[in-house]
Amino acid sequence: MASILLQVGTKIIGVGRNYAAHAKELGNAVPKVPSFYFSLSSLFRISFSLFNFQSLFLIVKEPVLFLKPTSSYLENGGTIEIPHPLESLDHEVELAVIISKKARDVPQAKAMEYVGGYALALDMTAREIQATAKSAGLPWTIAKGQDTFTPISSVLSLATVPDPDDLELWLKVDGEVRQKGSTKDMIFKIPFLISHISSIMTLLEGDVILTGTPKGVGPVKAGQKITAGITNLVDVQFNVEKRRQGSS
């Protein structure tokens, strides 16, 4: 159950701009997977000069990462709270990867051995706060880490998700489809993400990686209802309300 994540996991790692169409809709640069490139000089002549040696490089474009606290989890059926003085939050539907055991410096070839299950999650975002933070070169913590900002489903076992690279994610607001996309469009795949993140910070049992959102993100206001899911596997629903001042 999702409640176990609140007790066991130590952190939530978000991956930004992992779907090209979503990055473009927000006017952001699109990250690229690692690739080799060759200069024209190295293609048309053989030379061991320093210039030509430097033209043969592995270009590594790293994913955008950010952290969210586990206190931001909200179980299925809960109420997403819009903090004062905001009038709306943006919805972002994502595949969540749950880590099964301690992972540090994990090679891509063994990365899937550290996956304990999956879930459907929402990365609720205070877009106005995020825009201000980005323009000032500041972290996104306040925009993405507040209470109720990570609604999440129950955990799906590995047996129920034979191919996490081919799942359809969808989200509706008041019955209207806002987002629909496939995990096969992720720029950085799950093995790469686990390997890359574990080279930076140790992943522990119950930690969650939010793998990015497809296009269609947009605002949701108090009084509206979000339904979302992974087609044929799981669905969730959440009401949206303004946070009451002084509520605990």
Side-chain angles (χ1 to χ4, degrees):
M1 295 295 292
S3 59
I4 297 176
L5 299 179
L6 289 110
Q7 301 170 12
V8 178
T10 64
K11 55 189 171 293
I12 304 165
I13 305 97
V15 180
R17 308 173 192 172
N18 202 22
Y19 288 76
H22 167 60
K24 290 177 180 177
E25 73 179 346
L26 294 184
N28 294 317
V30 179
K32 296 180 180 179
V33 295
S35 59
F36 284 103
Y37 80 96
F38 297 85
S39 72
L40 289 177
S41 59
S42 65
L43 289 174
F44 290 104
R45 62 180 177 169
I46 299 175
S47 172
F48 292 96
S49 67
L50 180 61
F51 172 79
N52 281 323
F53 178 76
Q54 290 179 335
S55 70
L56 304 175
F57 272 111
L58 182 66
I59 305 175
V60 179
K61 298 292 186 179
E62 297 182 351
V64 176
L65 303 178
F66 56 91
L67 289 174
K68 302 183 69 168
T70 56
S71 56
S72 66
Y73 281 134
L74 178 68
E75 293 190 64
N76 185 19
T79 298
I80 297 167
E81 298 180 347
I82 302 174
H84 179 79
L86 302 178
E87 294 298 325
S88 67
L89 298 173
D90 270 21
H91 55 75
E92 300 186 7
V93 65
E94 314 207 4
L95 175 67
V97 176
I98 297 116
I99 299 301
S100 62
K101 57 186 176 181
K102 183 178 179 179
R104 185 182 186 196
D105 292 329
V106 177
Q108 288 191 54
K110 294 185 177 181
M112 298 306 288
E113 297 175 12
Y114 292 81
V115 177
Y118 302 92
L120 188 282
L122 307 183
D123 177 22
M124 301 305 296
T125 304
R127 195 69 71 195
E128 299 166 20
I129 296 175
Q130 184 189 34
T132 300
K134 287 169 65 176
S135 64
L138 298 174
W140 303 352
T141 306
I142 298 175
K144 288 180 172 286
Q146 299 195 42
D147 289 357
T148 78
F149 274 28
T150 312
I152 194 164
S153 75
S154 58
V155 176
L156 299 169
S157 68
L158 297 179
T160 61
V161 188
D163 187 2
D165 290 326
D166 189 17
L167 299 175
E168 183 181 68
L169 310 178
W170 59 269
L171 181 143
K172 299 178 182 180
V173 176
D174 291 340
E176 175 189 0
V177 176
R178 293 280 190 89
Q179 290 185 267
K180 181 177 284 189
S182 174
T183 55
K184 62 186 175 184
D185 294 327
M186 288 194 298
I187 298 171
F188 298 101
K189 304 300 183 182
I190 295 170
F192 177 86
L193 292 174
I194 293 173
S195 178
H196 177 68
I197 295 169
S198 70
S199 73
I200 300 169
M201 65 188 81
T202 299
L203 295 169
L204 300 174
E205 179 185 5
D207 284 356
V208 165
I209 299 173
L210 302 181
T211 57
T213 190
K215 69 177 181 178
V217 303
V220 62
K221 298 181 179 181
Q224 294 189 298
K225 182 177 181 179
I226 293 176
T227 54
I230 303 174
T231 301
N232 297 325
L233 288 179
V234 69
D235 58 81
V236 294
Q237 60 180 23
F238 302 95
N239 293 320
V240 182
E241 298 293 345
K242 291 275 289 191
R243 181 182 180 186
R244 292 185 299 174
Q245 292 295 96
S247 63
S248 57

